[in-house]
Amino acid sequence: MKKTGKLKYLSISLLTITVLIMIWTLVTGLDLLPEVLLPSLGKIGNTFVKLWHFGYGGVALYTHYLITMQRLLIAVLCAIVLGIPLGLMSGYVPLIKAIVDPLIQFIRPIPPLAYYTLLILWLGIGETSKITLLFLAALPPIYIACFDSVTRIDLEYLQSASSLGASRWQIFCNIVFPAAVPDIFTGLRSAVGVAYTTIVSAEMIAASSGIGWMIIDSSHYLKSDVMFIGIILLGVTGVLIDQLLKRLELHFVHWEGKK
Amino acid sequence: MVLLEARNVGYKYPRSDDQSISQVSLALNSNSLNVIIGPSGIGKSTLLNLIAGYAMPQAGELLMNGARITQASWQRGIVFQDMALYPWLNVSQNITFGPRMRKLPATQIEQRLTSLLTQTGLLDFKNKYVYELSGGLRQRVALAREFINQPAILMLDESFSALDNHIRKEMHQILLDLWTSSGNCVIVITHDIDEALFLGQKIIVMNGDPGTIKQTVVNPYFKSNFDDMTSNMAYFDFRRALLALIE
């Protein structure tokens, strides 16, 4: 996108947010909706300051935040470490596809919450079950992106590499992997998205910390201001993570679309 | 000495409309420049794929130095029409891909690289990514990537067809220079009669359905440019006869 185009895009985005804030201020200022349904921005700000100083449920707000991010980070890292080689190898070696693919295809459509209680039974109510839930949610998008990228790889890349003297393993490392990097980033962004949407579920059951837990717990007491703080924190972090991944993609996949 | 021999080779792509070939026989020597010419879709690329070892003949046999071709090998390099350069690598990395994979000594790779960058006029572009180059420069990279590997047979599958006339002539000269210094067996596939007349010591005409070799012609006008032959009636008679064979 050109610089003027970017500026225009940014202005429109900022305008949308400004209009939304104005409507919110108007609705809450005129008491058009009860506070429990839509607290004012001022109240949300005050509650944020209170939470920052005194925490929620005896745990500091930043600790809730860090716990959630830690769970997310560990789960996504595990999904990357396992999902990328597994997806690439499945696309490259039919035997590995025959072993792995049915399992991933089985897990993929199941809503993570459906097997969460089983995970708790198997792994206990601690961190392991929560991280495993997020890991299982993040794994299929990364695996499928990697698998698809191998099946779509330009046949002439593979043929020319073999005619230049590369072995099958060398082709995997030097052609298949770099050619798949753009799709790996796409899969990674989807994986973070899916894991992110699962985090509230993971912290719903048998948890006493984390932003997801804070949202669920505050909902029991109709503390919508606390809920909004949790939602805004998750939303802003989600956008920032996605932007970070986009920038990393631009840096590492400088050739995309420029074949 | 015969380097590559095809004996009654036949092939048909399973469940595909791609042209099959049948009863293809030829014998090519090392240190020779050969052009295979014929209408589009006659099976010229199919024959190259078989020689490269990407597929096995369903009939007959293909031999290199008397041994049956069973798989792809660096001894038989190929330049595709789309070049298949790796966009994540720069020019030098693309060119040295083969020798690096074959684990040749670094000093040898460096020597060959410098020599080829000079021969192909790519010295100033050696650190550029291939997507930053024009079509003609990319073709030079694709040629250098093959010649650095010093294959016994080098195949070019309509490699110059997408280039404009001026750059194509440049590429012809670069190919001739590289071939002269390497002495390998080059097979050029084209449907351009003037390219065939300029580049082919031997012109192999393919035709028919399924495609087969109609005639092999020794070209007396090898390295003769169409533009320089405008007053040579014998050249035009030869060209006309060749066109008739193709059509």
Side-chain angles (χ1 to χ4, degrees):
Chain A
M1 208 185 293
K2 283 185 181 169
K3 208 171 177 182
T4 47
K6 247 182 185 175
L7 209 68
K8 193 178 165 189
Y9 178 85
L10 193 70
S11 312
I12 293 170
S13 299
L14 282 173
L15 185 71
T16 309
I17 295 167
T18 312
V19 168
L20 194 71
I21 288 172
M22 280 168 67
I23 293 171
W24 192 329
T25 310
L26 198 73
V27 170
T28 52
L30 295 172
D31 287 331
L32 294 176
L33 281 173
E35 197 180 69
V36 73
L37 292 185
L38 191 70
S40 69
L41 289 170
K43 183 164 188 208
I44 292 171
N46 285 336
T47 308
F48 179 79
V49 174
K50 272 186 206 161
L51 285 180
W52 187 257
H53 285 113
F54 306 111
Y56 185 86
V59 179
L61 181 62
Y62 69 85
T63 309
H64 281 299
Y65 182 77
L66 289 178
I67 286 169
T68 298
M69 290 306 132
Q70 188 186 12
R71 285 168 182 156
L72 189 78
L73 188 72
I74 295 173
V76 172
L77 278 179
C78 290
I80 289 171
V81 169
L82 195 70
I84 292 175
L86 219 52
L88 294 177
M89 293 295 283
S90 276
Y92 197 57
V93 184
L95 177 69
I96 295 180
K97 183 194 169 193
I99 297 167
V100 177
D101 204 53
L103 300 174
I104 300 285
Q105 297 301 342
F106 178 75
I107 293 170
R108 192 175 61 95
I110 304 173
L113 211 56
Y115 47 77
Y116 188 28
T117 42
L118 267 181
L119 289 177
I120 292 172
L121 283 174
W122 291 340
L123 303 169
I125 56 168
E127 288 301 294
T128 318
S129 57
K130 293 177 184 58
I131 291 169
T132 307
L133 180 78
L134 298 179
F135 162 75
L136 289 174
L139 184 66
I142 294 183
Y143 168 89
I144 287 163
C146 292
F147 176 84
D148 284 350
S149 74
V150 179
T151 57
R152 280 201 315 267
I153 196 166
D154 190 339
L155 180 64
E156 288 185 353
Y157 282 165
L158 305 176
Q159 289 179 330
S160 65
S162 65
S163 287
L164 287 165
S167 65
R168 226 171 123 67
W169 176 242
Q170 284 175 323
I171 292 174
F172 181 78
C173 297
N174 294 281
I175 305 295
V176 173
F177 178 68
V181 171
D183 288 321
I184 290 174
F185 268 99
T186 309
L188 187 56
R189 285 174 64 195
S190 305
V192 170
V194 175
Y196 215 72
T197 53
T198 313
I199 193 100
V200 178
S201 313
E203 291 178 346
M204 253 174 72
I205 303 170
S208 56
S209 61
I211 296 292
W213 171 79
M214 190 179 86
I215 294 170
I216 296 299
D217 189 71
S218 58
S219 72
H220 296 151
Y221 307 103
L222 298 177
K223 293 178 181 170
S224 50
D225 47 348
V226 178
M227 287 167 69
F228 269 107
I229 288 168
I231 289 164
I232 291 168
L233 274 176
L234 284 180
V236 170
T237 310
V239 171
L240 290 178
I241 291 174
D242 198 56
Q243 286 299 319
L244 176 73
L245 288 174
K246 269 187 188 171
R247 281 178 187 272
L248 284 175
E249 186 178 1
L250 276 176
H251 179 73
F252 287 111
V253 195
H254 51 87
W255 70 87
E256 196 175 21
K258 297 172 183 166
K259 186 186 164 185
Chain B
M1 184 195 158
V2 173
L3 175 68
L4 178 77
E5 193 176 1
R7 293 180 187 157
N8 301 317
V9 169
Y11 187 83
K12 175 148 179 49
Y13 285 98
R15 294 189 299 278
S16 165
D17 291 336
D18 281 354
Q19 182 64 49
S20 57
I21 56 171
S22 172
Q23 296 286 317
V24 170
S25 296
L26 56 82
L28 303 178
N29 298 334
S30 51
N31 196 17
S32 63
L33 232 168
N34 312 277
V35 171
I36 300 177
I37 191 166
S40 294
I42 204 71
K44 305 186 292 292
S45 297
T46 305
L47 179 59
L48 280 206
N49 282 339
L50 295 175
I51 296 171
Y54 301 148
M56 294 301 112
Q58 290 155 353
E61 55 183 1
L62 263 169
L63 308 167
M64 182 177 159
N65 285 326
R68 195 186 280 257
I69 293 170
T70 54
Q71 59 180 6
S73 154
W74 66 269
Q75 289 280 9
R76 296 181 304 280
I78 187 161
V79 180
F80 295 102
Q81 188 175 357
D82 289 339
M83 294 170 270
L85 296 173
Y86 309 130
W88 53 90
L89 300 180
N90 66 25
V91 168
S92 297
Q93 291 164 336
N94 259 288
I95 294 174
T96 57
F97 183 84
R100 285 189 286 117
M101 294 302 108
R102 291 167 52 211
K103 297 187 171 36
L104 296 188
T107 48
Q108 198 180 342
I109 296 176
E110 195 57 38
Q111 256 175 7
R112 288 191 194 177
L113 173 68
T114 311
S115 158
L116 273 162
L117 286 172
T118 313
Q119 275 183 283
T120 51
L122 287 168
L123 259 179
D124 293 340
F125 305 96
K126 65 178 182 179
N127 295 320
K128 294 256 185 207
Y129 284 98
V130 287
Y131 59 78
E132 296 175 294
L133 306 182
S134 65
L137 289 175
R138 283 187 215 187
Q139 270 301 349
R140 293 177 194 216
V141 178
L143 275 184
R145 186 173 73 170
E146 294 303 330
F147 273 99
I148 199 172
N149 233 6
Q150 300 180 345
I153 298 169
L154 174 59
M155 296 164 276
L156 287 89
D157 190 357
E158 309 228 12
S159 302
F160 308 135
S161 62
L163 302 175
D164 67 43
N165 204 29
H166 169 68
I167 295 171
R168 195 185 309 176
K169 279 181 180 169
E170 267 182 25
M171 291 308 303
H172 289 164
Q173 199 51 57
I174 289 171
L175 174 63
L176 279 177
D177 293 343
L178 289 171
W179 169 71
T180 307
S181 57
S182 70
N184 50 12
C185 167
V186 173
I187 306 169
V188 178
I189 278 193
T190 184
H191 55 258
D192 180 338
I193 183 85
D194 297 315
E195 187 166 83
L197 282 165
F198 183 72
L199 286 179
Q201 285 178 316
K202 199 190 264 187
I203 299 174
I204 300 155
V205 180
M206 278 189 80
N207 219 332
D209 184 14
T212 192
I213 291 175
K214 197 168 179 184
Q215 198 164 333
T216 300
V217 183
V218 175
N219 176 20
Y221 301 102
F222 173 50
K223 295 190 197 174
S224 302
N225 240 322
F226 176 82
D227 296 339
D228 306 330
M229 306 298 284
T230 45
S231 57
N232 188 332
M233 286 314 292
Y235 172 82
F236 277 96
D237 287 342
F238 183 76
R239 188 177 183 275
R240 204 172 299 119
L242 204 55
L243 271 175
L245 269 178
I246 296 163
E247 285 158 7

